[in-house]
Amino acid sequence: QVQLVESGGGLVQPGGSLRLSCAASISIFSINRMGWYRQAPGKQRELVATITGDDSAYYADSVKGRFTISRDNAKNTVYLQMNSLKPEDTAVYYCNAVTFKEYWGQGTQVTVSS
């Protein structure tokens, strides 16, 4: 069983930055892939970014060049640095981990508004 705890969400103005953190309850060396998804009101959950054990990263087109996913193996934590935030980035952001099963965090709200 893997527990994921997100933090770092909040309210930010357009153009601002936030860094989300996802702390795992086990060593992330044993996790094949970790990532971030988001779900805006009335919309389906969508992939934002993923990172594998060899630090191979993937980004949705909508966030390329603005968001960066990274991992700190010593802290069993994955981060999502979000820059140049737009109102359309407003959503609940969820951490995801894939081993033999798939696990989700509880989500953290990100609101981009002036």
Side-chain angles (χ1 to χ4, degrees), residues 24-41:
S25 60
I26 65 170
S27 170
I28 61 175
F29 277 118
S30 60
I31 299 176
N32 298 330
R33 187 188 73 203
M34 295 191 72
W36 291 93
Y37 288 70
R38 67 186 181 187
Q39 187 166 19

Side-chain angles (χ1 to χ4, degrees), residues 26-96:
I26 65 170
S27 170
I28 61 175
F29 277 118
S30 60
I31 299 176
N32 298 330
R33 187 188 73 203
M34 295 191 72
W36 291 93
Y37 288 70
R38 67 186 181 187
Q39 187 166 19
K43 294 187 176 181
Q44 290 188 328
R45 190 172 296 189
E46 63 176 2
L47 173 66
V48 176
T50 61
I51 188 166
T52 58
D54 61 356
D55 284 334
S56 177
Y58 169 85
Y59 297 95
D61 287 342
S62 58
V63 306
K64 276 182 183 175
R66 300 188 298 123
F67 291 10
T68 303
I69 189 170
S70 62
R71 54 195 288 161
D72 185 334
N73 294 329
K75 295 183 178 180
N76 294 326
T77 299
V78 172
Y79 302 98
L80 185 69
Q81 178 67 44
M82 306 186 294
N83 299 328
S84 302
L85 283 161
K86 305 175 181 180
E88 51 263 44
D89 294 318
T90 295
V92 178
Y93 283 70
Y94 296 91
C95 183
N96 172 270

